Amino acid sequence: MAKKKQVLVACGAGVATSTVVNGAIEEMAKENNLNIDLVQIKIAEVGGYVETADLLVTTAMTKKEYPFPVINARSFLTGIGTEDTKKQILDELQK
């Protein structure tokens, strides 16, 4: 069985916009039978997960470099480009 991937979903406060993205990723994981561990956090908390995370999906601005891919998910808030962002997330989760 493949390793369960840890996906960080972060926004500024770890409450509002990350909840929208978290729900979308959860749905995608179910539809594609992916075994993932979703962790909803504040963008400021990402550093604490550097050793365990496989992917960061965020609606917040970040200029920091991380050892895992970072996907900007602001499209989930605007509704523009959502399908492209979903494809990016799915591609990373299926690696």
Side-chain angles (χ1 to χ4, degrees):
M1 182 177 217
K3 175 187 169 257
K4 193 174 194 175
K5 292 191 175 187
Q6 185 179 61
V7 181
L8 304 178
V9 182
C11 67
V15 179
T17 59
S18 59
T19 300
V20 173
V21 176
N22 199 58
I25 295 173
E26 208 168 50
E27 191 175 304
M28 285 180 358
K30 279 182 192 166
E31 288 172 1
N32 294 280
N33 204 22
L34 298 171
N35 190 17
I36 61 170
D37 177 24
L38 278 171
V39 182
Q40 189 173 338
I41 58 172
K42 297 177 191 172
I43 191 71
E45 297 172 331
V46 173
Y49 293 89
V50 166
E51 299 295 323
T52 57
D54 296 294
L55 174 66
L56 168 62
V57 181
T58 181
T59 58
M61 298 289 286
T62 182
K63 291 181 180 172
K64 285 189 178 177
E65 295 283 326
Y66 295 105
F68 41 78
V70 177
I71 296 177
N72 180 320
R74 272 175 265 151
S75 65
F76 282 95
L77 310 178
T78 64
I80 300 168
T82 307
E83 291 307 313
D84 287 343
T85 305
K86 282 184 177 179
K87 186 179 181 323
Q88 275 184 304
I89 295 168
L90 201 54
D91 286 350
E92 286 298 333
L93 294 178
Q94 291 176 328
K95 283 184 180 175

